[in-house]
Amino acid sequence: MTTDLLSPHSPAATSTGELAELDPYLNQVLARITVADATNIGYPRAIDIDYAALAPFLRFMLNNPGEPHGPDPIYPLHTMDVERRVLTWFANLFGAERGWTGYLASGSTEGTLHSLRLARAKLIDPLVFYSRAAHYSVLKAARILGLPAIAVDAAPHGEMDYADLRVKAARTSSRAAIVVATIGTTMTEAIDSVPAIHGSLDDAGVARRWIHADAALGGAPAALTGRTDFHLTRGGADSIVTSGHKWWGTPITTAPTLTVHQPTGDSRPISYIGNADTTIAGSRSGLAAVVLAHALTRHSLAGQRRRVEQARAVAGYACRRLTAIGWPYWRNPDAVTVMLRPLPEPLTKKWPLPVDGGWSHVICMPGITTDHIDHLVTDLQGGS
C-alpha cells in the first residue's frame, strides 16, 4: 500500500507535458469544495470575477524576490512590473502621496506584521494598542515582534472605545504608541475612526505615534465609495493593508501593504537576487500580482463602485427578509455584513457561518445574490 499522495499510476503522475488529469483524491477534494461553495456566505470572498483566463500563467514558477520598487530581480520569471502597477492603484485608492512604499504580502496578517515592524524601528520601544474587536493576528504580530500590547475596549457594535484608549494611553504617555485601527472588524464590519484615535492620543499626551489601518475587509469598499478618514497621508494613517482575496476573491491570498514612511534597517542589496529586501517573505508569489491585476482591470473605477453598491443592496435585502420571518439581526451602517442569531444545529453543516459572542453573520460580498439569501431564509423557515 503506497503512502504517496498521488498514485504512481495516476494520470497526473505519468503526464509527459500534456494537460494532466486530476488524481482521484484531488478530484474528491474538488468535489467537496464545489459543494461547500454554494452555501459559503459567512466568510468574506467575492465570487463575481472569473480567473480561468489566467490558466496559462500556471505553467511558470512566478517569483518576486525582494522589494518591487528597486531594480528588477535577476530571476527572469518575475512580475515585479505588474506588482508595481497594482500597488500604484491601491496607493491612489488610499490617498498615498509621493514617497510611499510597499509590497504584496501573502495576507493581511503578514501586512500587519510588516507594518508593526516598520513602526517599531521608527519609534523605538513603542507600545501597541488594539481594539478587543481587532483581528486575532494583531496580538500575534505584537508577540512575534516582542512588543507589549494593550487591549482597548470596543463598543457592542465593534468600534473602538476611544475614551478607553485615551485613559490607557495616558498611563504611559512618555512611551510611543502604535495603534491598530480596524477598518472593517471581522465579525461586525465596524470601522475605527483614525481621527478619533489621533484625538485620544492628543488628549493623553502621546506625542510619538504610528497608526496602522488594518483594512483587510472594509478598506476597499469604504474607500471606493468616498470614505477617506483612514487614508494614508491626509487621512492620518501611517500604514495600511487590505486583502485582495476578500473584496476581489483572488484564488491566491494576497494583501497590498503600503506605508508613507521609508523602511529603516537592513535594506542592503542582495547580490544573488539583484535586489534589496525589507519584506518579510523574501520570495513572494508573482502569480498573486497577476491575479490581482486581472481583478482590478475587470471593471472601471465606476464599475468597482457599483460592485460595492450591489453588495450593500443585497445586505439590505437580507435584513428585509430576516425581518419578514422575525429572525433577530442587526447591521452596521453601509456594511455588507449582516449580524443574525446563530442558526439551529441542523443547519450549521450546510451553512457554516461563524459565531462569536452569541451572534453569527452573513457577508454579502460581490457575487452573493438575493438567491443565496432566499435559500438561507427558506431553510430558516424549515424548508428544504
Side-chain angles (χ1 to χ4, degrees), residues 53-354:
L54 301 179
F57 284 94
L58 298 180
R59 294 173 50 212
F60 307 103
M61 198 287 283
L62 302 178
N63 186 9
N64 288 3
E67 300 171 357
H69 303 289
D72 283 344
I74 298 170
Y75 181 71
L77 305 185
H78 69 83
T79 62
M80 290 288 204
D81 49 341
V82 182
E83 184 173 3
R84 287 190 289 270
R85 286 174 175 263
V86 168
L87 291 171
T88 299
W89 192 94
F90 281 97
N92 290 333
L93 179 67
F94 293 133
E97 296 179 354
R98 288 175 298 181
W100 60 268
T101 62
Y103 72 98
L104 289 185
S106 62
S108 287
T109 293
E110 181 191 335
T112 292
L113 176 63
H114 174 72
S115 298
L116 266 58
R117 183 170 63 108
L118 297 180
R120 182 184 65 175
K122 180 178 177 63
L123 296 177
I124 311 300
D125 195 30
L127 297 169
V128 174
F129 294 87
Y130 67 100
S131 164
R132 295 188 189 277
H135 194 268
Y136 70 87
S137 62
V138 174
L139 181 57
K140 178 168 66 173
R143 286 173 172 168
I144 290 171
L145 295 169
L147 292 171
I150 299 172
V152 176
D153 289 342
H157 66 281
E159 188 174 357
M160 181 182 287
D161 183 334
Y162 309 110
D164 191 51
L165 172 63
R166 181 180 66 250
V167 169
K168 289 176 176 174
R171 295 171 184 164
T172 56
S173 59
S174 63
R175 299 272 298 269
I178 303 169
V179 183
V180 178
T182 306
I183 313 302
T185 56
T186 303
M187 281 302 296
T188 70
E189 206 181 326
I191 294 180
D192 294 338
S193 168
V194 172
I197 289 171
H198 278 294
S200 292
L201 295 179
D202 289 342
D203 292 345
V206 177
R208 296 179 299 128
R209 66 189 67 165
W210 180 298
I211 311 299
H212 172 62
D214 178 4
L217 172 59
L224 284 165
T225 51
R227 185 159 180 170
T228 62
D229 61 347
F230 60 90
H231 280 193
L232 296 165
T233 314
R234 286 168 290 178
D238 296 276
S239 56
I240 192 168
V241 62
T242 193
S243 295
H245 51 283
K246 290 184 172 68
W247 193 253
W248 286 274
T250 58
I252 299 172
T253 59
T254 183
T257 303
L258 302 169
T259 179
V260 291
H261 301 285
Q262 292 296 318
T264 58
D266 187 8
S267 60
R268 61 185 176 83
I270 309 300
S271 61
Y272 47 82
I273 67 171
N275 197 351
D277 185 15
T278 59
T279 71
I280 288 176
S283 286
R284 297 176 295 106
S285 171
L287 188 58
V290 172
V291 296
L292 194 46
H294 177 77
L296 298 178
T297 55
R298 294 309 87 197
H299 301 276
S300 65
L301 200 56
Q304 298 285 2
R305 294 190 186 104
R306 281 194 295 273
R307 295 176 71 239
V308 180
E309 293 162 0
Q310 290 164 358
R312 289 174 176 171
V314 173
Y317 178 82
C319 293
R320 293 192 295 274
R321 290 302 318 270
L322 291 169
T323 297
I325 65 170
W327 198 271
Y329 77 91
W330 60 274
R331 175 191 177 203
N332 272 318
D334 293 328
V336 298
T337 300
V338 177
M339 305 297 295
L340 70 160
R341 287 300 185 191
L343 307 187
E345 184 63 32
L347 294 181
T348 56
K349 219 168 207 185
K350 180 177 181 181
W351 299 94
L353 307 183

Side-chain angles (χ1 to χ4, degrees), residues 20-82:
E21 297 177 11
L22 281 178
D23 180 83
Y25 168 70
L26 293 181
N27 263 320
Q28 293 173 15
V29 173
L30 178 60
R32 171 178 59 80
I33 292 170
T34 302
V35 170
D37 185 59
T39 55
N40 183 27
I41 62 173
Y43 293 87
R45 90 284 186 251
I47 57 172
D48 63 329
I49 299 175
D50 187 354
Y51 293 92
L54 301 179
F57 284 94
L58 298 180
R59 294 173 50 212
F60 307 103
M61 198 287 283
L62 302 178
N63 186 9
N64 288 3
E67 300 171 357
H69 303 289
D72 283 344
I74 298 170
Y75 181 71
L77 305 185
H78 69 83
T79 62
M80 290 288 204
D81 49 341
V82 182

Side-chain angles (χ1 to χ4, degrees), residues 347 350 375-384:
L347 294 181
K350 180 177 181 181
H375 189 181
L376 173 62
V377 170
T378 297
D379 283 354
L380 286 173
Q381 290 177 302
S384 58

